[in-house]
Amino acid sequence: MDATTVLAEINGNIATVGYGLAAIGPAIGVGIVVGKTIEGVARQPELAGRLQVLMWIGIAFTEALAFIGIATYFIFV
Amino acid sequence: MNDARPDNTPTSNPVLRQALVWGGIVAAALLLVSGVLGFVFAGAEGLIGALIGTAMAVVFMGITAATILIANRFASSDLFVGAFFGIVLGGWIVKFIVFIVLVVLLRDAAWLDTTVLFLSLVAGVLASLVVDVVVITKSRMPHVSDVELPPAPRED
């Protein structure tokens, strides 16, 4: 067995890597959305209501990608 | 000095509640359509897959609004900001763990059609997004939460 095969060998279901990839984007996205909302509420607490709705729609769009990404496990072997 | 605390309930509550109600109505319609389509194209397995897929999409997408509504009950607490993000983000991560476990469990189930399940899940997610956007564009939110407007001028 040559060195390349030993170093680059992957066992198990490659779809598992997809879980990780599907988690990266939404994690960063929700982190930014929530972080910016905290910043906004800290600056102007009286705007909390409006900022919450914007945060909610931001999270909804971000997590939609996550749901579809993770659920591709259903159709890809 | 007035010790009564002002009502700090965020103005987002009616919008979120309306989104949940309309999400439920659209989900019922979508369940019907996807169930019929699933049954026509894949039989009983397709029907079950369509129902579970649509239900998963709508429930998991609705949990965000539900957690914000629950968290807003603590609006007058001193720990509101911490409690709010704890509840909303805690609910978010629990939701995703449950979702991944469901996907792994349902993947090998023989009693449903996974392709139909995936397609109805995507349809449910998209429908939920459409409902959210429509509700937000039609909503009217005051800018501030804790201000009472002066009474309207009287005619006399």
Side-chain angles (χ1 to χ4, degrees):
Chain A
M1 194 180 289
D2 63 313
T4 314
T5 313
V6 173
L7 290 175
E9 188 184 5
I10 296 176
N11 286 317
N13 192 345
I14 191 68
T16 315
V17 180
Y19 283 149
L21 291 176
I24 291 174
I28 297 174
V30 169
I32 292 175
V33 170
V34 172
K36 290 290 179 184
T37 309
I38 294 176
E39 205 175 297
V41 174
R43 286 173 191 268
Q44 281 181 293
E46 71 275 10
L47 278 182
R50 291 178 72 84
L51 294 174
Q52 274 179 15
V53 171
L54 295 176
M55 181 191 81
W56 165 64
I57 196 76
I59 290 180
F61 272 92
T62 316
E63 74 185 359
L65 287 178
F67 281 133
I68 294 173
I70 293 172
T72 48
Y73 189 52
F74 278 126
I75 52 166
F76 299 143
V77 178
Chain B
M1 184 181 160
N2 187 5
D3 282 341
R5 306 187 70 138
D7 179 20
N8 288 327
T9 309
T11 48
S12 58
N13 275 8
V15 181
L16 296 170
R17 205 168 288 128
Q18 208 180 7
L20 281 181
V21 170
W22 277 105
I25 294 171
V26 170
L30 199 64
L31 272 175
L32 197 68
V33 174
S34 63
V36 169
L37 287 178
F39 188 74
V40 167
F41 286 108
E45 286 86 9
L47 174 67
I48 298 172
L51 295 184
I52 292 181
T54 312
M56 274 170 73
V58 174
V59 168
F60 283 109
M61 292 292 284
I63 285 179
T64 311
T67 49
I68 296 178
L69 276 176
I70 292 171
N72 277 347
R73 292 174 180 231
F74 302 97
S76 50
S77 161
D78 291 333
L79 298 171
F80 174 54
V81 175
F84 177 82
F85 289 106
I87 292 171
V88 173
L89 293 181
W92 197 80
I93 198 160
V94 168
K95 169 173 77 175
F96 264 95
I97 290 171
V98 172
F99 184 74
I100 290 176
V101 169
L102 269 179
V103 168
V104 172
L105 289 180
L106 294 178
R107 172 81 157 84
D108 299 321
W111 42 273
L112 52 77
D113 189 305
T114 48
T115 309
V116 175
L117 195 151
F118 174 74
L119 290 177
S120 25
L121 191 122
V122 172
V125 167
L126 293 180
S128 171
L129 285 180
V130 169
V131 169
D132 293 354
V133 170
V134 168
V135 167
I136 283 191
T137 49
K138 287 188 180 299
S139 68
R140 295 175 66 205
M141 262 188 304
H143 268 284
V144 288
S145 300
D146 51 355
V147 167
E148 282 188 23
L149 295 174
R154 282 180 292 184
E155 294 290 325
D156 56 13

